[in-house]
Amino acid sequence: MSSPETVKSLAAKLAAGEASAVELAQDYLARIRAANAALNAYVELNDEQTLTEARAADALRAEGRAGLLTGVPIAHKDIFCQTGWHARCGSKMLESFAAPYDAGLIERSRAAGLVTLGRTNMDEFAMGSTNESSYYGAVRNPWNTDHVPGGSSGGSAAAIAAGLAPAASGTDTGGSIRQPAAFCGISGIKPTYGVVSRWGMIAYASSLDQGGPMARTAEDCALLLNAFAGFDERDSTSLQRPAEDYTRALAQPLAGLRIGVPKEFFGDGMSADVRAAVEAALATFRTLGAVTVEVSLPRSGMAVPAYYVIAPAEASSNLSRFDGVRYGYRAPEYGNLDDMYAKTRAQGFGAEVKRRILIGTYVLSHGYYDAYYLQAQKVRRLIAEDYEAAFAQCDLIMGPTTPNTAYRIGQNDEDPLAMYLGDIYTTSINLAGLPGMSIPAGFGADGLPVGLQIVGRWFDEARMLGAAHQFQQATDWHLRTPEN
Amino acid sequence: MSRANWEVVIGLETHTQLNTASKIFSGSSTAFGAAPNAQASPVDLALPGVLPVMNRAAVERAIRFGLAIGATVAPRSVFARKNYFYPDLPKGYQISQYELPVVQGGTLTIRVGEGDKAYEKVVRLTRAHLEEDAGKSLHEDFHGMSGIDLNRAGTPLLEIVSEPDMSSSAEAVAYARALHALVRWVDICDGNMQEGSFRCDANVSVRRPGEPLGTRREIKNLNSFRFLQQAIDYEIQWQIEQIEDGHKIQQATVLFDPDSGETRMMRSKEDAHDYRYFPDPDLPPLVIAAEWVDEVRRAMPELPAALAARLQSDYGLSAYDAAGITASRETAQYFTDALAIAGAAQATQLAKPLANWVMGELAARLNREERDIAQSPVSPAQLAGLVARIADNTISNSIGKKVFDALWNGEGPDADAIIDAQGLKQVTDASAIEPIIDEVLAANPKSVEEYRAGKEKAFNALVGQVMKASRGKASPAQVNELLKKKLGG
């Protein structure tokens, strides 16, 4: 078995002149054409657009102006506005929409010379943990196509796992990078809120949404985060900080690293095989010199309820702009104005989006606001305080990314609450604004990947990536592919 | 039915459009009159993924207003989303401030009425908050469809809310006028009411003295002082009649129809939206450092109330004159420029006649020709020169008006040149006036006779004849004196 391609290995090939950007792009496009029908990971391909970008990358290299990543292919989640491509966000509502501007992350991706392979499938408006809510069809897990890839960045995760992209962008509101990374056996990092620009990233829940990279290895994630991160004056929640090299701690030994293990993350809902894999991973960290200490996040149980108040509340408002007036879908037939709104939104949105708009509208309503929204915001502060207290005893926090391996397709159709509860370990990190990542840590009894979640202090991405990289030097879970 | 048995309670909410070059959350121009949607960026159109960025200039204007009314400029205020669907509201929510506005409290002193009945009143302000305007729906010229123009969407507004401290339409209008003058004075709003830069909502209720507050109805979008007065007067009358007829007032939002002079219901309390306010997660709290407030304070012009007080104490102007001169910043500027030119030695003496000229002849002429005082053909220096010549008796007040007309028409560079060129210098020399008096007396024996018979009026007629014969140049005081002497002799 040969090692799967990584961002790093492809960058080396390009630098050595062993392949051109056009050749890499053509190679990947051929693989995508062969495999995408079975997986539905990509929702838009545009060979001419891809090859134009690849040729530009080769021209830069010929001029000696290539950067580290120039010519490396990447897939972008369909949530990022990108000129030359549609931005449908998994929704019928935006089937006809193509943005006249680039998202902040896309601008930085272009500036780094990354070549867009295509646009990846996602849960509609990033609402979902299975990628089944996409108007453009469910994505299938490359490890077992009867299973979901996770969501909402399921297309990105599946594409990487299936070798249809070496890297992809994702977004994470309550786990949408980490959970599909775990389900598909890849690496992905949600940075600290404010590190990656939200400009041009179609909003689900503004105070929680954060873009980030997904790739096979932690090292690739670090290289990509170097490209994606940075202040953007068009996003008022973007943070102005000195530029940072996220690869700086990759080589750092783990001796003395204190890993906090929250006892609440190993409770009842967790399956035995996930527990075994995560505990084995923690044992590996100990052999690398780290020490594990038990910590407590007493308010963990409140995270999912608080998340499912705050996120839908913001979503109900964020999605009001999809009204059929200026762009996007409009019902073909309607009576008066109110009827136009009602029919447009009834026909343009799917069931999960409507469910969350209803929840969000309800919790913001007069008479309920204090009991739900305000209360959830208080819980949010308490959850952040829990993490601050825990970080007084440790440098990183680790545990499972999800309580189970990937669901079967259709498993949660009748019970959305079961799906929401699967977000039990991921949502609190968004509520606290902390950086979180997931890396492959073995397999469950069903042969599906298990993810290890790593959580850092605010802006401690480099340390997280370093620990993950050291783990990946000692293990080969991240090199496994569905074919071998 | 009589209004005497009723107390009226009025509070005003005023939307002032801030005169920034660009919109409150995007870089689009705010200029009025562009082709529809020519000034609508992706942010104004609420395309997917776009985000608001606060315009610092709008905040600076809010601070200026807060300082002008002696309010608290909140060190931390919060933007909230006001959610409702309307085609000219692109995001489906308006970004406004709800629980924590940028300006809190403050007062505005108003002068109501004229002459002996004039009085001052201090109106308390509740708050002023920053928000964005909506676009416009156009219901004509689209063959049964509606057009949407988003040029105005995102224009910065400061919504200024008063306490219900006014008790008549006259007080409400005086408040609105004072506020209008103030926002223009501190240069945060162009005050153009036709273009909608300054528009008022009036909350009106009535009660019998001693009773608790009545139910209020809100009259929306009044964009002239006249409509404000008419709408409130109509509403007061209507509410009193309703109650006296045994009906209860229902809380409602109403519109004023200038053609009929009536208000009509737009929506009842039951139809009121649930706006589902919540803090906008796209905008962090607005934090205003004390240093910034100090910086703005240092750059503030002298405020009208302070200037009016100074004009009274330093120059002996009456409260009425001082209020008139400070009614607009341009008028005050004109007046203080003229005083400065007159020089310190003369200013005290000239202030009162200057004020009379500025508020009398000059104001009337500007009004007649629909010009702003800043574009007056007669400059402050020219008017100061003219008033000085009247004060030192070089010319009479009535010749002064002639000289004013000549200055207006550009017939000379200053009053002195015109007086010289047209030979308008007042004649005070008795030997020059006496022959004229003799002629007039000889030509009007009837008047002389009547005067001697005790008719005072006849004397005035004779003075008039003498003045006329001197082509206005004779000193009126001198004429009076000499005429009396001759008739009495």
Side-chain angles (χ1 to χ4, degrees), chain B residues 335-470:
Chain B
F335 179 78
T336 51
D337 283 354
L339 271 190
I341 287 155
Q346 299 246 28
T348 316
Q349 191 203 343
L350 293 185
K352 172 71 186 163
L354 247 180
N356 288 342
W357 272 87
V358 169
M359 290 188 292
E361 195 70 15
L362 179 65
R365 188 70 185 260
L366 289 167
N367 198 29
R368 206 157 56 233
E369 303 203 6
E370 294 182 351
R371 281 176 189 253
D372 292 335
I373 195 164
Q375 277 85 50
S376 167
V378 179
S379 71
Q382 288 173 325
L383 191 67
L386 167 60
V387 172
R389 287 300 147 282
I390 297 168
D392 68 9
N393 286 319
T394 305
I395 55 172
S396 66
N397 210 51
S398 57
I399 289 292
K401 288 181 183 172
K402 236 183 217 178
V403 176
F404 179 84
D405 283 345
L407 287 168
W408 186 281
N409 297 327
E411 290 168 26
D414 56 34
D416 288 340
I418 290 167
I419 292 164
D420 278 354
Q422 303 190 9
L424 299 174
K425 199 165 186 309
Q426 182 157 265
V427 180
T428 50
D429 182 358
S431 63
I433 298 172
E434 277 179 23
I436 300 172
I437 291 177
D438 291 341
E439 272 175 42
V440 167
L441 291 180
N444 295 284
K446 205 176 156 212
S447 296
V448 174
E449 215 169 288
E450 282 172 1
Y451 173 74
R452 292 200 165 125
K455 270 196 171 178
E456 269 304 309
K457 268 190 183 167
F459 182 78
N460 293 338
L462 289 167
V463 172
Q465 289 295 323
V466 175
M467 290 306 293
K468 197 177 166 192
S470 77

Side-chain angles (χ1 to χ4, degrees), chain A residues 239-441:
Chain A
L239 294 163
Q240 210 158 3
R241 293 173 54 81
E244 146 148 49
D245 178 6
Y246 292 102
T247 66
R248 69 173 189 272
L250 290 181
Q252 212 163 294
L254 300 188
L257 180 78
R258 295 173 304 159
I259 297 172
V261 182
K263 58 180 181 195
E264 292 82 2
F265 281 16
F266 293 82
D268 285 345
M270 184 188 206
S271 68
D273 50 354
V274 169
R275 178 192 296 271
V278 170
E279 282 175 351
L282 291 171
T284 302
F285 273 101
R286 281 190 291 268
T287 65
L288 292 171
V291 291
T292 52
V293 292
E294 187 182 273
V295 295
S296 176
L297 300 168
R299 262 73 63 115
S300 290
M302 298 181 188
V304 166
Y307 174 83
Y308 279 99
V309 169
I310 292 169
E314 293 180 9
S316 70
S317 176
N318 282 335
L319 270 60
S320 293
R321 68 188 59 199
F322 306 114
D323 58 5
V325 174
R326 299 168 312 288
Y327 54 82
Y329 180 78
R330 182 190 292 178
E333 283 171 27
Y334 49 87
N336 58 16
L337 177 65
D338 284 344
D339 193 41
M340 191 277 279
Y341 285 143
K343 289 209 166 83
T344 294
R345 290 166 66 81
Q347 295 164 16
F349 290 138
E352 186 60 33
V353 171
K354 282 184 224 171
R355 180 157 34 237
R356 296 195 194 189
I357 290 174
L358 283 172
I359 295 170
T361 304
Y362 179 80
V363 300
L364 289 177
S365 295
H366 188 73
Y368 297 99
Y369 179 85
D370 290 2
Y372 292 103
Y373 185 79
L374 220 53
Q375 192 68 11
Q377 290 290 14
K378 285 179 194 158
V379 167
R380 184 176 188 170
R381 266 195 302 281
L382 295 176
I383 286 171
E385 284 171 15
D386 276 1
Y387 274 103
E388 280 188 274
F391 277 122
Q393 302 165 54
C394 60
D395 305 306
L396 295 173
I397 287 173
M398 292 191 196
T401 308
T402 61
N404 303 93
T405 55
Y407 311 113
R408 284 187 164 274
I409 285 178
Q411 184 179 327
N412 296 317
D413 281 0
E414 303 306 319
D415 189 3
L417 217 56
M419 181 179 81
Y420 296 173
L421 286 171
D423 299 339
I424 185 160
Y425 306 133
T426 48
T427 52
S428 62
I429 284 89
N430 300 75
L431 290 169
L434 295 165
M437 72 181 298
S438 181
I439 57 172

Side-chain angles (χ1 to χ4, degrees), chain B residues 102-359:
Chain B
V102 63
V103 172
Q104 300 168 5
T107 58
L108 188 63
T109 302
I110 60 172
R111 273 185 70 81
V112 194
E114 285 184 27
D116 295 344
K117 288 181 182 164
Y119 62 95
E120 279 194 353
K121 186 168 187 174
V122 176
V123 176
R124 295 167 299 154
L125 279 80
T126 315
R127 58 186 279 167
H129 64 254
L130 286 162
E131 63 182 26
E132 58 181 341
D133 208 344
K136 277 181 187 161
S137 295
L138 311 166
H139 299 299
E140 289 147 30
D141 307 329
F142 292 95
H143 314 288
M145 296 188 286
S146 290
I148 308 288
D149 179 4
L150 295 177
N151 282 351
R152 201 182 64 184
T155 298
L157 300 176
L158 189 68
E159 181 174 338
I160 302 162
V161 183
S162 84
E163 290 288 304
D165 283 354
M166 287 148 284
S167 49
S168 67
S169 63
E171 288 186 2
V173 170
Y175 166 82
R177 283 190 185 278
L179 191 62
H180 184 255
L182 185 65
V183 296
R184 291 172 68 236
W185 189 286
V186 296
D187 195 20
I188 64 169
C189 171
D190 68 15
N192 190 322
M193 296 176 82
Q194 279 83 46
E195 292 174 7
S197 298
F198 187 92
R199 43 193 205 263
C200 298
D201 303 337
N203 285 292
V204 180
S205 67
V206 299
R207 64 173 165 187
R208 292 198 166 90
E211 287 187 353
L213 282 176
T215 304
R216 67 193 159 85
R217 305 213 310 164
E218 182 180 18
I219 317 168
K220 278 278 180 198
N221 253 332
L222 297 160
N223 66 349
S224 89
F225 298 124
R226 196 159 52 89
F227 293 164
L228 180 64
Q229 173 123 35
Q230 289 173 356
I232 291 174
D233 282 339
Y234 176 86
E235 184 64 27
I236 293 169
Q237 201 67 24
W238 185 88
Q239 289 188 16
I240 292 172
E241 282 172 18
Q242 289 290 310
I243 298 171
E244 292 192 337
D245 288 352
H247 303 297
K248 275 208 164 95
I249 303 295
Q250 305 295 326
Q251 192 175 327
T253 303
V254 302
L255 284 175
F256 176 66
D257 177 359
D259 294 328
S260 66
E262 298 177 355
T263 57
R264 62 183 161 79
M265 183 142 104
M266 193 165 104
R267 58 173 180 264
S268 70
K269 196 189 176 190
E270 287 72 46
D271 307 331
H273 288 111
D274 180 354
Y275 291 119
R276 307 191 310 281
Y277 282 100
F278 74 107
D280 190 337
D282 287 331
L283 291 163
L286 173 61
V287 174
I288 298 175
E291 293 73 34
W292 190 14
V293 178
D294 288 340
E295 197 180 301
V296 174
R297 186 182 283 118
R298 282 194 294 275
M300 287 281 281
E302 184 178 21
L303 293 171
L307 178 58
R310 196 163 61 83
L311 293 177
Q312 291 174 66
S313 65
D314 292 8
Y315 299 100
L317 288 196
S318 67
Y320 175 82
D321 285 347
I325 289 296
T326 56
S328 85
R329 190 173 177 185
E330 291 76 13
T331 304
Q333 188 67 51
Y334 187 100
F335 179 78
T336 51
D337 283 354
L339 271 190
I341 287 155
Q346 299 246 28
T348 316
Q349 191 203 343
L350 293 185
K352 172 71 186 163
L354 247 180
N356 288 342
W357 272 87
V358 169
M359 290 188 292

Side-chain angles (χ1 to χ4, degrees), chain B residues 89-108:
Chain B
L89 186 73
K91 294 188 291 296
Y93 58 84
Q94 178 197 30
I95 304 177
S96 181
Q97 296 190 303
Y98 185 55
E99 285 185 336
L100 290 172
V102 63
V103 172
Q104 300 168 5
T107 58
L108 188 63

